[in-house]
């Protein structure tokens, strides 16, 4: 992929702001539009852009399978765990009022954790689905510099899409 | 003014939908469906539903387009032309469309403040959520607190969908790769 120097450089420039924006959407969702779902998608977009430019082999080095697959479950478990915590602390399931001394603080904490759970699951699922689609789960593949084989497909539409961009 | 924007956006969406049906190149269809999502996101912004617009722009115009493109990489780039004209789909579509239009006749008018949806739980959320829950963004209070069960269900659906896709594709890919390694590139090869 050393041919596309403009694409590579702009991807490297774009990724940090995309991720920062995702975090902003995640943790500012109480005050403005946004929340866990959108933030997870945007955070995944950073990884997808990376995959489009650098290929799935290197993407799997950045987001290895042992991170993304468990993370799918971690988000749901965090969400359900907040519900269990409220049960144990004497409230109803997912009644955040009991999480702190002040009901408002409890609600705030509960919503923050729950949205974080949604964000983690959405991010992990989106990245996993995308990497599964491009057919490279990084199990049995060796590192390869040739873009076509790094993609694991000879006539990948995404490679053609990049060509279309360039033309 | 707002009505003009609505009508223009709707007209663009209708044009995009019709062009999508007519086209045989799936690459162009995927791009148009992204444009369709972006147009509907703009429509949601006009309707002041910024949270929904945000989701539609991120998921509909962003992720779905990328996922469909990668699906094309796994399958084909062109739709097979139909063998013969079959009247059954046309009849089904016309009947369904007529039923839907008939259904809208009973619905409250666009923006009607007396519509039932504005008199059920909405007033309670608007009045009580700043006191009961707190966050200034009411949508977050409704989604994460009042409707916490629903959102937990949605998250579980996403989780299940992700696991399903991973299981399906991981299995089929491993089986396909071995014989596919000697496959010659198809006619769509444009690399030089």
């Amino acid at each position: 992929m050393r041919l596309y120097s403009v694409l590579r450089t702009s991807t490297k420039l774009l990724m940090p702001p995309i991720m920062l924006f995702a975090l902003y959407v995640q943790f500012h969702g109480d005050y403005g539009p946004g929340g866990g779902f959108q933030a997870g998608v945007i955070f995944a977009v950073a990884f997808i852009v990376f995959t489009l430019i650098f290929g799935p082999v290197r993407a799997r080095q950045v987001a290895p399978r042992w991170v993304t697959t468990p993370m799918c479950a971690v988000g749901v478990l965090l969400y359900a765990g907040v519900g269990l915590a409220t049960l144990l602390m004497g409230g109803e399931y997912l009644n955040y009022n009991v999480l702190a001394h002040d009901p408002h603080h409890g609600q705030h904490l509960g919503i923050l954790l729950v949205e974080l759970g949604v964000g983690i699951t959405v991010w992990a699922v989106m990245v996993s689905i995308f990497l599964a689609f491009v057919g490279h789960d990084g199990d049995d593949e060796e590192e390869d510099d040739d873009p076509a084989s790094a993609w694991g497909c000879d006539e990948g539409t995404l490679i053609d899409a990049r060509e279309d961009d360039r033309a | 003014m707002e009505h003009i924007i609505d009508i223009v956006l709707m007209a663009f969406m209708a044009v995009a939908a019709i062009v999508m049906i007519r086209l045989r190149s799936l690459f162009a269809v995927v791009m148009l469906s992204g444009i369709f999502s972006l147009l509907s996101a703009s429509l949601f912004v006009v309707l002041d539903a910024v949270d929904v617009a945000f989701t539609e722009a991120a998921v509909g115009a962003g992720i779905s387009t990328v996922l469909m493109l990668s699906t094309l990489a796994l399958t084909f780039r062109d739709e097979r032309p139909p063998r013969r004209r079959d009247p059954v789909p046309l009849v089904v579509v016309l009947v369904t469309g007529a039923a839907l239009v008939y259904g809208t006749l009973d619905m409250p008018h666009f923006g009607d403040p007396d519509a039932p949806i504005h008199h059920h739980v909405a007033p309670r959320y608007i009045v009580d959520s700043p006191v009961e829950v707190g966050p200034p963004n009411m949508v977050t209070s409704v989604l994460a607190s009042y409707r916490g069960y629903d959102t937990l269900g949605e998250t579980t659906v996403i989780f299940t969908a992700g696991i399903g896709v991973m299981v399906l594709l991981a299995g089929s890919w491993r089986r396909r790769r071995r014989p596919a390694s000697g496959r010659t590139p198809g006619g769509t090869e444009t690399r030089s």
Side-chain angles (χ1 to χ4, degrees):
Chain A
M1 297 281 17
R2 51 183 103 74
L3 291 174
Y4 308 102
S5 59
V6 173
L7 285 179
R8 277 195 332 179
T9 314
S10 44
T11 307
K12 284 177 184 168
L13 282 176
L14 270 175
M15 267 187 79
I18 292 176
M19 291 167 132
L20 200 63
F21 181 63
L23 292 176
Y24 167 78
V25 170
Q26 172 83 52
F27 294 109
H28 203 257
D30 299 4
Y31 302 97
F37 197 81
Q38 293 94 327
V41 168
I42 295 171
F43 210 72
V45 162
F47 286 84
I48 289 174
V49 170
F50 183 88
T51 316
L52 287 176
I53 304 301
F54 293 96
V57 174
R58 287 188 61 187
R60 265 302 177 203
Q61 291 170 351
V62 178
R65 207 190 181 123
W66 60 268
V67 172
T68 53
T69 309
M71 280 294 181
C72 297
V74 163
V76 181
L77 289 176
L78 178 62
Y79 201 134
V82 171
L84 277 185
T86 58
L87 265 187
L88 291 177
M89 291 170 87
E92 295 93 352
Y93 192 72
L94 291 176
N95 177 5
Y96 313 130
N97 281 348
V98 295
L99 283 178
H101 291 297
D102 181 46
H104 266 205
H105 288 178
Q107 287 284 347
H108 202 99
L109 183 66
I111 290 176
L112 197 78
L113 289 173
V114 154
E115 293 273 8
L116 188 64
V118 175
I120 290 173
T121 291
V122 170
W123 167 75
V125 166
M126 292 299 166
V127 171
S128 309
I129 289 185
F130 180 70
L131 285 173
F133 261 103
V134 298
H136 224 287
D137 281 1
D139 279 346
D140 44 6
E141 293 305 323
E142 64 281 5
E143 175 81 38
D144 202 334
D145 263 351
D146 178 37
S149 55
W151 268 91
C153 51
D154 323 301
E155 41 178 341
T157 310
L158 289 157
I159 291 173
D160 292 345
R162 281 207 306 276
E163 301 287 331
D164 293 346
D165 277 350
R166 214 167 47 130
Chain B
M1 186 60 200
E2 227 176 87
H3 285 293
I4 300 172
I5 299 175
D6 284 346
I7 290 168
V8 169
L9 285 175
M10 292 269 199
F12 273 131
M13 284 168 77
V15 170
I18 292 169
V19 174
M20 269 194 271
I21 298 170
R22 308 285 308 171
L23 277 178
R24 292 271 163 247
S25 161
L26 293 178
F27 185 80
V29 170
V30 170
M31 286 301 150
L32 275 169
S33 75
I35 292 170
F36 187 88
S37 289
L38 205 59
L39 286 169
S40 59
S42 326
L43 203 61
F44 291 136
V45 172
V46 177
L47 291 170
D48 275 343
V50 277
D51 279 272
V52 185
F54 202 168
T55 315
E56 180 66 40
V59 178
I63 290 266
S64 309
T65 311
V66 172
L67 285 183
M68 283 199 269
L69 280 180
S70 39
T71 314
L72 289 190
L74 291 181
T75 56
F76 304 101
R77 291 189 68 173
D78 290 293
E79 189 182 347
R80 213 172 290 151
R83 291 238 181 78
R84 59 192 175 82
R85 302 238 171 248
D86 195 355
V88 176
L90 185 67
V91 172
V92 169
V93 166
L94 282 180
V95 168
T96 317
L100 286 174
V101 170
Y102 177 72
T104 59
L105 295 180
D106 271 349
M107 279 173 69
H109 287 292
F110 177 68
D112 184 4
D114 294 327
I117 188 143
H118 299 306
H119 291 282
H120 186 45
V121 285
R124 201 205 125 132
Y125 291 154
I126 292 168
V127 173
D128 292 345
S129 87
V131 186
E132 283 182 342
V133 184
N137 183 7
M138 214 180 301
V139 178
T140 303
S141 323
V142 173
L143 280 183
S145 191
Y146 287 113
R147 297 269 176 230
Y149 280 18
D150 296 5
T151 312
L152 176 60
E154 279 166 28
T155 316
T156 315
V157 166
I158 294 169
F159 168 74
T160 316
I163 296 296
V165 168
M166 273 185 267
V167 168
L168 280 175
L169 281 181
S172 71
W173 195 264
R174 209 159 290 137
R175 250 174 282 129
R176 259 180 48 156
R177 276 200 70 76
R178 296 295 154 237
S181 55
R183 192 177 48 158
T184 53
T188 53
E189 187 74 13
T190 54
R191 245 175 311 128
S192 51

